Amino acid sequence: MASIIVDDRTYSVGERQNLLAACLGAGLNLPYFCWHPAMGSVGACRQCAIKQFKDDHDQRGRLVMACMTPASDGARISIEDPEAKAFRASVIEWLMVNHPHDCPVCDEGGECHLQDMTVMTGHAYRRYRFPKRTYRNQYLGPFIKHEMNRCIQCYRCVRFYRDYAGGRDFNVFGSHDAVYFGRERDGVLENEFSGNLIEVCPTGVFTDKTLFRHYTRKWDLQSDQSICPHCSLGCNTTPGERYGILRRVVNRYNSQVNGYFICDRGRFGYDYVNSDDRMRRALLRPKRDGISPARPEGAPEVLASAADRLRRASGIVGIGSPRASLEANAALRSFVGADRFFLGIGDREHRLLSTILTILRTGPVPSASMREAEESDAVLVLGEDLLNSAPRLALALLQSVRQQPMKRADELKIPRWDDAAVRNIVQGRRGPLFLAGYRRTWFHDYATDNYFAAPDDIARLGFSVAQSIDAHDLSVQDLSKEVRERAHRIAEALMQAERPLVIAGTGSGSHATIEAAADVAWALHRIGKHPRLSFVLPDCNSLGLALLGGGTLKEAFESVRQKQADGVIVLENDLYRHIEPAEADAFFDAAKTVIAIDSFDHRTTARADIILPAATFSESDGTLVNHEGRAQRFYQVFVPEGDITESWRWMRDLARTTSESTEDLSGVAAWQTFDDAVSGAAEAVPELARIREVAPSAGLRLVGQKIPRQPERYSGRTAMISHLTVHEPPPPPDPDTPLAFSMEGYRGPVASPLIPQFWTPGWNSVQALNKYQDEVGGPLREEIPGVRLIEPVAMKLPSRFTSIPRPFQPSPFRWLLLPLPALFGSEELSNRSPAVAERMSEPFISLHPSDGTRLRLEEGMAIELALQGARCRLGLRLDSSTPPGTAGLSLVHEALWMRLPAWVDLTESITAERRVA
Ligand code: SF4
Ligand code: SF4
Ligand code: FES
C-alpha cells in the first residue's frame, strides 16, 4: 500500500495504481474521460489534471495528469487547487465547443458521463456562439446508433474496439478538429463485442438501438442483478424494465467473471422476452391431433386438468432443461422423483457432460474463472470455436496474449496501466495462444499457431502435447513429424508459463478432445505447474443440470415405450433441438399426457396437451451454474402479466393440485417461497448445498427495510396508470427476495448480488461503478462473485486416458459433418430477438476447396442437404480451414441442431442448384 496526501488528507491506496484510480478508489471526485479501468491511461483528454507538490515546502506545485502519474508513497497532490480546477474547467469548455448540447433528445441523457463531468467541473455557461462542426452519421447495423456530433475525441472507442477487442472495421479518421470515429463506410459493426462501445463512450455517440426502439429514460428503469442466459459463461448483467417491457441489458461488473464487458449476444439477445411469440396464458389442447389449437383457460382449470391426467397416468417422467434454473429443475425432480428425472439433453451431450464433470470432480486441476483466463500466460484451445460458442472467453484470451510480452514493460518499470507506453514496448508481440479447431475466424489472427484438423486429429495433438510434457509410454501412434514438432512447441510454451490454461468443450462433439485437454492439464500438474482447465458447455445451466443428475433422454423414451409411464412433463425445453425428430415424434405419440412448461411456443409445446407459461430470466429468480462450476443468482426484474410465473411455482402448484391431501404437504408441494426452492435444490444433491451462500435470503432487512429495485430518480410513478386510476396501487409483493418493486427502501451498501443498479450522486453513468470498489478494477465492496461448487481433489492423481483415437481418415464417399456454432443463430432464446435475428447469417455448409472440386461444387452455390430426416437449403462456402474429408455445417438451422458430428454421403444427400460442368 502507498500513502498519498490529497488536499491535506492522507489516504492508503494500492501502489500499483495511477493517481486517478487511487483518488476514485478513495471515494474522491475527479473528472476524467480517456482513462478506463480495463484499458488504462493514454493521457489524451487532459481532464484529470491535478496539482502535484514535491514536498511539504512546495507551495507552487505543478499540473500533472492524474491518470498518467503513479500513486507513489508520499505523493502529495491537490484536486481542489484553483489552478488545477481552472485547467479542468477550460478543458471541458474546449471539449464542449462542438458538442451539440442536445441532452433533452439524447438517448444517453441521464446516464451520461459527459453530463456528469460537465457538472462536476462547473462548466455551466457556454461562451462559444459560432457554428459548430457537424458530421454525417453512419448506419452501423441493428445494434448501435451513431451520432458523431456528440464526440469529444477521447479515443476510448477506438482503443476498445481495435486494441482491446481485436476489431478491424472501426477506426479514427480525419485531421485537425474534424476527427471521425466510425467505419470506412456505412455498414454493420462486425466485432462480437461492439455493444460495449455504448458503455465505453462517455457521451452519446454510440447508443443502444434496441433500447431506442422502445425508449425510456434511463432513470425510469427498474433493474436488478441478472445472469446472461445465452451461453455457459454466466456473464453478469443488469436488465432494465419499464411498463412491463424489458428495455435493455447492460454489463454488470463481477471481478471474477465478465469484468467490464459482455458480448453482443448477451447485450442484445434479451428482446425475446417482449416477443409476440411469448405464451402468457395457461393453455389446454383438447386433442393432441396436430391440428387442434391449444386454447387459454384459467390457470386453476388448467392445473386441475393437468392434475387429473397425471393422477390417471401409469407413471410420470420429468424432462429437465439446461436453460432452466437449478430451482426449476429441482422442483420437477422433486415432483417426479429422482429416478424418473431425465436431463433433457441428447445422449452425446449427456456423455460429454458426464466426462467433463468427472474430470472436474476427480482431477487435480481447477477450472479457470474468466479473470484467470485473462491472466493466463500460455493457452491451448482444443476443438472449440470460442468466438462463437463462448465469446467473452475469447475476449479474455485476447488480453491473455499480452501477458508474456508485458513482462518486458515490468522489467522497464513501466506500470501496466500506462497503456500507450506498454503497447509501445509490446508492439505486435503476443504470448503463446495455440488454437486447434476446424474453422478459421479473425480470432485466429491473434494466435501463435493455428492447427486446422478433424476432432480426432485435434485430440491426438492434445495427447501428444501431454506426452511431451510428461514423457510416458502411451505414445500417440502414426503422428506426422509436423504434428509431433507442433506438439513439442506447444508443450514447451505451456511448461515455461506461470499460469498455463487448457480449454476444450462440447462444441465439436468429441470426447477425445475433452480427455486430451484434461491429459495436458494433468501432465502440467504432474511436473509441478499450476495449470487451469476450462470447458465450454452448450447452455447457461448445463453444469448445474449435470450436477443435479438424471437419466438420459433415451431412458425416458424407453420408459414411455415400455409403458412404465405415459405422463410426461417437459420443463423449458424443445426436445427437437436435442434428438432426432422421428424419435421425439414417437415419444410424444406414445405418451398419453404431455405437459410443457415454457416461455414461448416451439415444436415441443406444439405436441403438448397442457402448456404452462414460464417466466423468463427477467421475470423470475433462480440459480445458474456456469461452465466453471460457479453458482450465481439472478433476480426478478419485473412482474409479468397473464398467467406467467416461475417454473418451480408451476411445479409446486401442480404438485399441490395432484396431491390427495391438502395437509401434510411434502417435497415441492410444501415450498412457499424462493428460499424453499433454493433449499430444495441445495438438498437434492450434496454438491449443491452451497448454493444457499450465493446470495442473502429473502428475510434480510436493512434498517428494517427491503432494497428498492427502482432508482431514486424513478419518475412518473403516480402517472403511470392514470388512464386507469388516479390512485397509486401498492407495489407488487416480493416474498422471494430482500428486494422490492418500489422506490422506497434501504439505499446503503449491500452485498453485490443485491445492488439493483450502480449509481451515486453526481455519477449517473456506468462509471459510478468506481464508487463501489475499494480499488478500481478490484472486487466490489461486499462482493459475492458466486460460489464455486467444484474444487479439485488434491489427493490422488487420476489415471491417464488411454483411448487415443486413430488418425482421421477421409472417406472416398462420405464426409464427416461437423457443427459450426454461430454467435447469432445457434442459441435458442436470443434468436427470437429481432436485432439478433437480423444478424443471423443464412445457413451454410463449408467444404475444403479440394472437396468442392471433387464434388464439382463452386463457392456460393445453393445446395439442398438431406440429413437425419430433414432437408435444408444451404449456401456453399469453400474454406481451406475446413479439414479435407469433413464438412462444416452452420448451426443456424434448428432442424439440424446438436446431432453432429455425423458421417454423410454428400454425393447422394446434396442436390446442387448448379453443378459445374
Ligand atoms: S465516439 Fe465516444 S468514445 Fe469515441 S472518441 Fe468520441 S466521445 Fe470518445
Ligand atoms: S459471453 Fe455468453 S454469458 Fe457472456 S454475455 Fe455473451 S452470451 Fe452472455
Ligand atoms: S483521463 Fe487523464 S488525461 Fe484523460
Side-chain angles (χ1 to χ4, degrees), residues 224-230 237-240 246 248-249 266 269-273 278 323 540 572 599 614-622 624 634-638 829:
D224 221 331
Q225 141 107 0
S226 199
I227 306 298
C228 174
H230 302 304
T237 61
T238 306
L246 190 60
R248 69 162 186 187
V249 160
Y270 70 90
D271 231 352
Y272 76 94
V273 171
R278 279 298 299 280
R323 66 169 159 86
C540 61
E572 301 185 37
S599 48
T616 62
F617 75 102
S618 56
E619 299 153 341
S620 57
D621 311 302
L624 302 175
F634 61 92
Y635 282 120
Q636 184 173 11
V637 179
F638 67 105
L829 303 175

Side-chain angles (χ1 to χ4, degrees), residues 20 31-35 42-49 65-68:
L20 172 60
Y32 63 90
F33 289 115
C34 64
W35 170 82
V42 286
C45 72
R46 320 313 280 173
Q47 189 58 69
C48 65
M65 296 308 125
C67 71
M68 298 299 290

